[in-house]
Amino acid sequence: SSGSNAPLEGVQALFIYPLNALIRSQKERLVAWLAAHGGQQRFALYNGDMKDEFPARSGTAFPASEVPDRKSLRQSPPPLLITNTTMLELMLVRPQDRPILDKSSGKLRWIVIDEAHSYTGSQAAELTLLLKRTLQAFNVKPEDVRFIATSATIGDPVGHVEALTG
């Protein structure tokens, strides 16, 4: 309900980063940006470093906006899921990750591909197939999802424009 203070549940935006270091570098900015939302807007950094479960008494502090572990991610998937192609692939096939997909069914609206220029040749083909399977798994149509390609290292814009249009 619109008047509720309950956090939103279900993945609405999927961010795909090629490297875990790039994922970690965005965490501080994301936490600062989401702080204004009082815990309603949450995110998860779903990579190989994410623990299965953090006991409440573990002493590890997480911001209110961050989903701390895989158990929490599966119980209540956040609107923002930041991951890499390997973990996305695993999420699509692992039975224990099925709750993420079920609770996000029909909700995915954004897919952001960071360092998009790095996907060429067979890597680009693999990513395309992975994205098709992702749309199916999240139960959304391609026309209902906005795809965003980002890159901080494009380099010579004229040369790239010519390469893309030539």
Side-chain angles (χ1 to χ4, degrees):
S1 68
S2 59
S4 170
N5 282 336
L8 294 173
E9 186 173 89
V11 177
Q12 295 176 28
L14 181 62
F15 294 78
I16 302 170
Y17 284 82
L19 301 169
N20 284 342
L22 293 171
I23 294 172
R24 285 188 297 269
S25 74
Q26 298 304 313
K27 179 179 172 177
E28 195 174 310
R29 286 188 200 124
L30 201 50
V31 169
W33 183 62
L34 294 176
H37 297 281
Q40 265 197 296
Q41 292 287 352
R42 298 172 303 127
F43 73 94
L45 301 179
Y46 192 33
N47 61 26
D49 297 336
M50 186 182 239
K51 303 285 183 231
D52 284 329
E53 186 173 0
F54 269 112
R57 63 190 179 282
S58 72
T60 305
F62 283 89
S65 58
E66 184 176 4
V67 174
D69 55 37
R70 294 176 190 209
K71 181 180 178 185
S72 303
L73 173 61
R74 292 168 183 144
Q75 285 174 345
S76 180
L80 306 174
L81 183 63
I82 298 104
T83 192
N84 56 49
T85 55
T86 302
M87 290 304 291
L88 179 57
E89 177 77 43
L90 289 172
M91 188 176 74
L92 298 182
V93 299
R94 286 199 299 209
Q96 63 264 41
D97 283 344
R98 189 74 219 174
I100 300 167
L101 300 171
D102 291 343
K103 293 175 183 181
S104 301
S105 181
K107 296 181 180 181
L108 185 64
R109 291 293 173 261
W110 302 91
I111 295 179
V112 180
I113 303 162
D114 191 52
E115 297 297 323
H117 72 279
S118 66
Y119 296 98
T120 59
S122 62
Q123 264 195 318
E126 287 174 19
L127 179 63
T128 301
L129 293 172
L130 177 60
L131 291 174
K132 284 183 178 186
R133 291 179 31 247
T134 298
L135 295 176
Q136 289 174 336
F138 278 88
N139 193 29
V140 292
K141 296 183 177 99
E143 59 268 22
D144 294 331
V145 178
R146 303 295 165 255
F147 292 86
I148 301 168
T150 65
S151 177
T153 53
I154 283 180
D156 171 25
V158 175
H160 285 289
V161 169
E162 288 172 3
L164 290 171
T165 58

